[in-house]
mmCIF file of all heavy atoms in Angstrom:
data_model
loop_
_atom_site.group_PDB
_atom_site.id
_atom_site.type_symbol
_atom_site.label_atom_id
_atom_site.label_comp_id
_atom_site.label_asym_id
_atom_site.label_seq_id
_atom_site.Cartn_x
_atom_site.Cartn_y
_atom_site.Cartn_z
ATOM 1 N N ASP A 1377 -26.464 20.055 -23.100
ATOM 2 C CA ASP A 1377 -25.988 19.311 -21.964
ATOM 3 C C ASP A 1377 -26.778 19.764 -20.744
ATOM 4 O O ASP A 1377 -26.758 20.903 -20.326
ATOM 5 C CB ASP A 1377 -24.473 19.627 -21.746
ATOM 6 C CG ASP A 1377 -23.919 19.007 -20.477
ATOM 7 O OD1 ASP A 1377 -24.612 18.340 -19.791
ATOM 8 O OD2 ASP A 1377 -22.734 19.406 -20.113
ATOM 9 N N ALA A 1378 -27.537 18.797 -20.166
ATOM 10 C CA ALA A 1378 -28.450 19.157 -19.044
ATOM 11 C C ALA A 1378 -27.836 18.914 -17.709
ATOM 12 O O ALA A 1378 -28.520 19.039 -16.704
ATOM 13 C CB ALA A 1378 -29.733 18.322 -19.170
ATOM 14 N N CYS A 1379 -26.556 18.625 -17.586
ATOM 15 C CA CYS A 1379 -25.879 18.378 -16.372
ATOM 16 C C CYS A 1379 -25.683 19.710 -15.619
ATOM 17 O O CYS A 1379 -25.432 20.726 -16.225
ATOM 18 C CB CYS A 1379 -24.616 17.641 -16.518
ATOM 19 S SG CYS A 1379 -24.846 15.950 -17.239
ATOM 20 N N THR A 1380 -25.804 19.661 -14.289
ATOM 21 C CA THR A 1380 -25.733 20.836 -13.459
ATOM 22 C C THR A 1380 -24.964 20.532 -12.183
ATOM 23 O O THR A 1380 -24.614 19.373 -11.915
ATOM 24 C CB THR A 1380 -27.140 21.362 -13.030
ATOM 25 O OG1 THR A 1380 -27.756 20.331 -12.266
ATOM 26 C CG2 THR A 1380 -27.964 21.664 -14.304
ATOM 27 N N GLU A 1381 -24.754 21.518 -11.355
ATOM 28 C CA GLU A 1381 -24.215 21.304 -10.004
ATOM 29 C C GLU A 1381 -25.257 20.634 -9.167
ATOM 30 O O GLU A 1381 -26.481 20.773 -9.399
ATOM 31 C CB GLU A 1381 -23.709 22.602 -9.394
ATOM 32 C CG GLU A 1381 -22.467 23.119 -10.022
ATOM 33 C CD GLU A 1381 -21.456 23.688 -9.016
ATOM 34 O OE1 GLU A 1381 -21.846 23.850 -7.840
ATOM 35 O OE2 GLU A 1381 -20.302 23.874 -9.359
ATOM 36 N N VAL A 1382 -24.887 19.939 -8.127
ATOM 37 C CA VAL A 1382 -25.810 19.183 -7.244
ATOM 38 C C VAL A 1382 -26.825 20.222 -6.642
ATOM 39 O O VAL A 1382 -26.368 21.283 -6.164
ATOM 40 C CB VAL A 1382 -25.053 18.457 -6.136
ATOM 41 C CG1 VAL A 1382 -24.164 19.361 -5.330
ATOM 42 C CG2 VAL A 1382 -26.080 17.702 -5.259
ATOM 43 N N PRO A 1383 -28.093 19.932 -6.667
ATOM 44 C CA PRO A 1383 -29.078 20.841 -6.085
ATOM 45 C C PRO A 1383 -28.883 21.049 -4.609
ATOM 46 O O PRO A 1383 -28.367 20.191 -3.917
ATOM 47 C CB PRO A 1383 -30.404 20.074 -6.359
ATOM 48 C CG PRO A 1383 -30.137 19.155 -7.442
ATOM 49 C CD PRO A 1383 -28.699 18.742 -7.342
ATOM 50 N N GLN A 1384 -29.267 22.199 -4.125
ATOM 51 C CA GLN A 1384 -29.107 22.594 -2.733
ATOM 52 C C GLN A 1384 -29.828 21.550 -1.844
ATOM 53 O O GLN A 1384 -31.030 21.266 -2.126
ATOM 54 C CB GLN A 1384 -29.644 23.985 -2.502
ATOM 55 C CG GLN A 1384 -29.445 24.528 -1.096
ATOM 56 C CD GLN A 1384 -28.008 24.896 -0.869
ATOM 57 O OE1 GLN A 1384 -27.260 25.164 -1.803
ATOM 58 N NE2 GLN A 1384 -27.559 24.816 0.335
ATOM 59 N N GLY A 1385 -29.223 21.096 -0.763
ATOM 60 C CA GLY A 1385 -29.825 20.190 0.160
ATOM 61 C C GLY A 1385 -29.922 18.749 -0.278
ATOM 62 O O GLY A 1385 -30.487 17.922 0.507
ATOM 63 N N ARG A 1386 -29.407 18.396 -1.458
ATOM 64 C CA ARG A 1386 -29.542 16.976 -1.911
ATOM 65 C C ARG A 1386 -28.589 16.044 -1.109
ATOM 66 O O ARG A 1386 -29.002 14.883 -0.819
ATOM 67 C CB ARG A 1386 -29.173 16.978 -3.407
ATOM 68 C CG ARG A 1386 -29.178 15.569 -3.971
ATOM 69 C CD ARG A 1386 -30.505 14.902 -3.939
ATOM 70 N NE ARG A 1386 -31.434 15.428 -4.966
ATOM 71 C CZ ARG A 1386 -31.459 15.038 -6.233
ATOM 72 N NH1 ARG A 1386 -30.614 14.116 -6.686
ATOM 73 N NH2 ARG A 1386 -32.269 15.602 -7.065
ATOM 74 N N TRP A 1387 -27.426 16.498 -0.791
ATOM 75 C CA TRP A 1387 -26.457 15.584 -0.078
ATOM 76 C C TRP A 1387 -26.587 15.789 1.451
ATOM 77 O O TRP A 1387 -26.934 16.869 1.921
ATOM 78 C CB TRP A 1387 -25.026 15.835 -0.553
ATOM 79 C CG TRP A 1387 -24.799 15.438 -1.966
ATOM 80 C CD1 TRP A 1387 -25.630 14.696 -2.763
ATOM 81 C CD2 TRP A 1387 -23.669 15.725 -2.756
ATOM 82 N NE1 TRP A 1387 -25.061 14.510 -3.993
ATOM 83 C CE2 TRP A 1387 -23.855 15.095 -4.037
ATOM 84 C CE3 TRP A 1387 -22.434 16.434 -2.501
ATOM 85 C CZ2 TRP A 1387 -22.889 15.185 -4.999
ATOM 86 C CZ3 TRP A 1387 -21.552 16.487 -3.508
ATOM 87 C CH2 TRP A 1387 -21.745 15.873 -4.793
ATOM 88 N N LEU A 1388 -26.188 14.777 2.211
ATOM 89 C CA LEU A 1388 -26.207 14.817 3.663
ATOM 90 C C LEU A 1388 -25.034 15.731 4.159
ATOM 91 O O LEU A 1388 -25.049 16.105 5.360
ATOM 92 C CB LEU A 1388 -26.035 13.404 4.223
ATOM 93 C CG LEU A 1388 -27.309 12.517 4.059
ATOM 94 C CD1 LEU A 1388 -26.980 11.141 4.573
ATOM 95 C CD2 LEU A 1388 -28.488 13.081 4.877
ATOM 96 N N VAL A 1389 -24.073 16.028 3.280
ATOM 97 C CA VAL A 1389 -23.007 16.927 3.663
ATOM 98 C C VAL A 1389 -22.969 18.080 2.666
ATOM 99 O O VAL A 1389 -23.548 17.947 1.587
ATOM 100 C CB VAL A 1389 -21.651 16.172 3.638
ATOM 101 C CG1 VAL A 1389 -21.633 15.051 4.680
ATOM 102 C CG2 VAL A 1389 -21.297 15.663 2.236
ATOM 103 N N ASP A 1390 -22.315 19.139 3.068
ATOM 104 C CA ASP A 1390 -22.207 20.322 2.208
ATOM 105 C C ASP A 1390 -21.302 19.955 1.061
ATOM 106 O O ASP A 1390 -20.168 19.460 1.205
ATOM 107 C CB ASP A 1390 -21.566 21.482 2.973
ATOM 108 C CG ASP A 1390 -21.569 22.788 2.216
ATOM 109 O OD1 ASP A 1390 -21.031 22.792 1.042
ATOM 110 O OD2 ASP A 1390 -22.002 23.764 2.718
ATOM 111 N N PRO A 1391 -21.791 20.149 -0.222
ATOM 112 C CA PRO A 1391 -20.975 19.823 -1.325
ATOM 113 C C PRO A 1391 -19.593 20.430 -1.409
ATOM 114 O O PRO A 1391 -18.608 19.768 -1.818
ATOM 115 C CB PRO A 1391 -21.848 20.322 -2.599
ATOM 116 C CG PRO A 1391 -23.216 20.247 -2.056
ATOM 117 C CD PRO A 1391 -23.085 20.657 -0.579
ATOM 118 N N ASP A 1392 -19.489 21.672 -0.887
ATOM 119 C CA ASP A 1392 -18.172 22.320 -0.888
ATOM 120 C C ASP A 1392 -17.256 21.578 0.106
ATOM 121 O O ASP A 1392 -16.020 21.504 -0.165
ATOM 122 C CB ASP A 1392 -18.318 23.786 -0.464
ATOM 123 C CG ASP A 1392 -19.015 24.649 -1.509
ATOM 124 O OD1 ASP A 1392 -18.875 24.232 -2.694
ATOM 125 O OD2 ASP A 1392 -19.598 25.620 -1.127
ATOM 126 N N GLU A 1393 -17.795 21.059 1.192
ATOM 127 C CA GLU A 1393 -16.890 20.313 2.122
ATOM 128 C C GLU A 1393 -16.527 18.991 1.563
ATOM 129 O O GLU A 1393 -15.413 18.467 1.873
ATOM 130 C CB GLU A 1393 -17.670 20.103 3.433
ATOM 131 C CG GLU A 1393 -17.920 21.443 4.260
ATOM 132 C CD GLU A 1393 -18.607 21.191 5.550
ATOM 133 O OE1 GLU A 1393 -18.711 19.997 5.934
ATOM 134 O OE2 GLU A 1393 -19.031 22.148 6.201
ATOM 135 N N ALA A 1394 -17.341 18.412 0.720
ATOM 136 C CA ALA A 1394 -17.098 17.076 0.143
ATOM 137 C C ALA A 1394 -16.116 17.173 -1.059
ATOM 138 O O ALA A 1394 -15.525 16.199 -1.449
ATOM 139 C CB ALA A 1394 -18.358 16.385 -0.305
ATOM 140 N N PHE A 1395 -15.971 18.352 -1.602
ATOM 141 C CA PHE A 1395 -15.204 18.516 -2.893
ATOM 142 C C PHE A 1395 -13.685 18.581 -2.643
ATOM 143 O O PHE A 1395 -13.265 19.233 -1.676
ATOM 144 C CB PHE A 1395 -15.685 19.788 -3.586
ATOM 145 C CG PHE A 1395 -14.825 20.099 -4.811
ATOM 146 C CD1 PHE A 1395 -15.035 19.329 -5.993
ATOM 147 C CD2 PHE A 1395 -13.909 21.107 -4.841
ATOM 148 C CE1 PHE A 1395 -14.292 19.574 -7.108
ATOM 149 C CE2 PHE A 1395 -13.193 21.344 -6.003
ATOM 150 C CZ PHE A 1395 -13.364 20.643 -7.096
ATOM 151 N N ASP A 1396 -13.002 17.891 -3.487
ATOM 152 C CA ASP A 1396 -11.531 17.945 -3.563
ATOM 153 C C ASP A 1396 -11.080 17.658 -4.953
ATOM 154 O O ASP A 1396 -11.379 16.662 -5.498
ATOM 155 C CB ASP A 1396 -10.862 16.916 -2.603
ATOM 156 C CG ASP A 1396 -9.379 17.221 -2.346
ATOM 157 O OD1 ASP A 1396 -8.672 17.555 -3.332
ATOM 158 O OD2 ASP A 1396 -8.915 17.048 -1.221
ATOM 159 N N SER A 1397 -10.445 18.623 -5.569
ATOM 160 C CA SER A 1397 -10.101 18.524 -7.006
ATOM 161 C C SER A 1397 -9.061 17.466 -7.249
ATOM 162 O O SER A 1397 -8.871 16.999 -8.405
ATOM 163 C CB SER A 1397 -9.672 19.826 -7.550
ATOM 164 O OG SER A 1397 -8.513 20.362 -6.868
ATOM 165 N N ARG A 1398 -8.315 17.021 -6.240
ATOM 166 C CA ARG A 1398 -7.320 16.036 -6.384
ATOM 167 C C ARG A 1398 -7.965 14.655 -6.600
ATOM 168 O O ARG A 1398 -9.035 14.393 -6.026
ATOM 169 C CB ARG A 1398 -6.436 15.990 -5.184
ATOM 170 C CG ARG A 1398 -5.586 17.257 -4.975
ATOM 171 C CD ARG A 1398 -4.823 17.133 -3.607
ATOM 172 N NE ARG A 1398 -5.761 17.089 -2.489
ATOM 173 C CZ ARG A 1398 -5.425 16.803 -1.204
ATOM 174 N NH1 ARG A 1398 -4.149 16.643 -0.919
ATOM 175 N NH2 ARG A 1398 -6.325 16.770 -0.246
ATOM 176 N N PRO A 1399 -7.412 13.790 -7.422
ATOM 177 C CA PRO A 1399 -8.048 12.498 -7.744
ATOM 178 C C PRO A 1399 -8.077 11.585 -6.569
ATOM 179 O O PRO A 1399 -7.153 11.429 -5.808
ATOM 180 C CB PRO A 1399 -7.204 11.986 -8.856
ATOM 181 C CG PRO A 1399 -5.831 12.576 -8.704
ATOM 182 C CD PRO A 1399 -6.137 13.985 -8.177
ATOM 183 N N ALA A 1400 -9.296 10.850 -6.422
ATOM 184 C CA ALA A 1400 -9.410 9.737 -5.532
ATOM 185 C C ALA A 1400 -8.983 10.046 -4.074
ATOM 186 O O ALA A 1400 -8.414 9.232 -3.464
ATOM 187 C CB ALA A 1400 -8.693 8.516 -6.050
ATOM 188 N N GLN A 1401 -9.398 11.207 -3.618
ATOM 189 C CA GLN A 1401 -9.108 11.481 -2.124
ATOM 190 C C GLN A 1401 -10.210 10.807 -1.289
ATOM 191 O O GLN A 1401 -11.386 10.804 -1.618
ATOM 192 C CB GLN A 1401 -9.162 12.998 -1.893
ATOM 193 C CG GLN A 1401 -8.011 13.740 -2.570
ATOM 194 C CD GLN A 1401 -6.635 13.213 -2.151
ATOM 195 O OE1 GLN A 1401 -6.301 13.242 -0.999
ATOM 196 N NE2 GLN A 1401 -5.892 12.709 -3.077
ATOM 197 N N PRO A 1402 -9.860 10.159 -0.187
ATOM 198 C CA PRO A 1402 -10.827 9.460 0.679
ATOM 199 C C PRO A 1402 -11.959 10.414 1.049
ATOM 200 O O PRO A 1402 -11.757 11.505 1.483
ATOM 201 C CB PRO A 1402 -9.964 9.008 1.868
ATOM 202 C CG PRO A 1402 -8.579 8.987 1.383
ATOM 203 C CD PRO A 1402 -8.464 10.072 0.363
ATOM 204 N N ASP A 1403 -13.214 9.787 0.941
ATOM 205 C CA ASP A 1403 -14.382 10.518 1.335
ATOM 206 C C ASP A 1403 -14.585 11.877 0.753
ATOM 207 O O ASP A 1403 -15.151 12.813 1.356
ATOM 208 C CB ASP A 1403 -14.418 10.671 2.906
ATOM 209 C CG ASP A 1403 -14.408 9.359 3.642
ATOM 210 O OD1 ASP A 1403 -15.015 8.343 3.069
ATOM 211 O OD2 ASP A 1403 -13.752 9.242 4.701
ATOM 212 N N ARG A 1404 -14.159 12.029 -0.485
ATOM 213 C CA ARG A 1404 -14.214 13.301 -1.196
ATOM 214 C C ARG A 1404 -14.754 13.018 -2.619
ATOM 215 O O ARG A 1404 -14.594 11.876 -3.190
ATOM 216 C CB ARG A 1404 -12.921 14.030 -1.269
ATOM 217 C CG ARG A 1404 -12.399 14.503 0.045
ATOM 218 C CD ARG A 1404 -13.303 15.636 0.618
ATOM 219 N NE ARG A 1404 -12.764 16.149 1.892
ATOM 220 C CZ ARG A 1404 -13.116 15.712 3.072
ATOM 221 N NH1 ARG A 1404 -13.960 14.663 3.207
ATOM 222 N NH2 ARG A 1404 -12.590 16.238 4.156
ATOM 223 N N VAL A 1405 -15.320 14.051 -3.268
ATOM 224 C CA VAL A 1405 -15.748 13.963 -4.665
ATOM 225 C C VAL A 1405 -14.905 14.876 -5.481
ATOM 226 O O VAL A 1405 -14.551 16.020 -5.007
ATOM 227 C CB VAL A 1405 -17.264 14.311 -4.833
ATOM 228 C CG1 VAL A 1405 -18.120 13.355 -4.004
ATOM 229 C CG2 VAL A 1405 -17.548 15.702 -4.402
ATOM 230 N N CYS A 1406 -14.549 14.571 -6.725
ATOM 231 C CA CYS A 1406 -13.734 15.426 -7.508
ATOM 232 C C CYS A 1406 -14.554 16.297 -8.422
ATOM 233 O O CYS A 1406 -14.028 17.138 -9.188
ATOM 234 C CB CYS A 1406 -12.776 14.593 -8.388
ATOM 235 S SG CYS A 1406 -13.550 13.583 -9.686
ATOM 236 N N SER A 1407 -15.898 16.168 -8.364
ATOM 237 C CA SER A 1407 -16.793 17.067 -9.110
ATOM 238 C C SER A 1407 -18.101 17.178 -8.353
ATOM 239 O O SER A 1407 -18.587 16.184 -7.765
ATOM 240 C CB SER A 1407 -17.050 16.542 -10.520
ATOM 241 O OG SER A 1407 -18.046 17.232 -11.199
ATOM 242 N N LYS A 1408 -18.748 18.367 -8.451
ATOM 243 C CA LYS A 1408 -20.066 18.531 -7.840
ATOM 244 C C LYS A 1408 -21.153 18.555 -8.894
ATOM 245 O O LYS A 1408 -22.318 18.791 -8.600
ATOM 246 C CB LYS A 1408 -20.079 19.867 -7.078
ATOM 247 C CG LYS A 1408 -19.184 19.951 -5.874
ATOM 248 C CD LYS A 1408 -19.180 21.282 -5.174
ATOM 249 C CE LYS A 1408 -18.494 22.361 -5.910
ATOM 250 N NZ LYS A 1408 -18.473 23.625 -5.278
#
């Protein structure tokens, strides 16, 4: 399985700030 966490600097926002483990939260991702 070649999937990984998002590379550093790839997103315009910090991945940790975008992350929310709860499903379908507005403007959030449930996986990095």
Side-chain angles (χ1 to χ4, degrees):
D1377 171 7
C1379 296
T1380 63
E1381 289 220 345
V1382 56
Q1384 187 71 28
R1386 175 65 73 84
W1387 292 350
L1388 288 173
V1389 298
D1390 188 306
D1392 290 333
E1393 292 181 10
F1395 175 74
D1396 193 321
S1397 61
R1398 296 173 298 172
Q1401 294 302 300
D1403 299 324
R1404 294 291 183 269
V1405 301
C1406 67
S1407 171
K1408 295 178 287 183

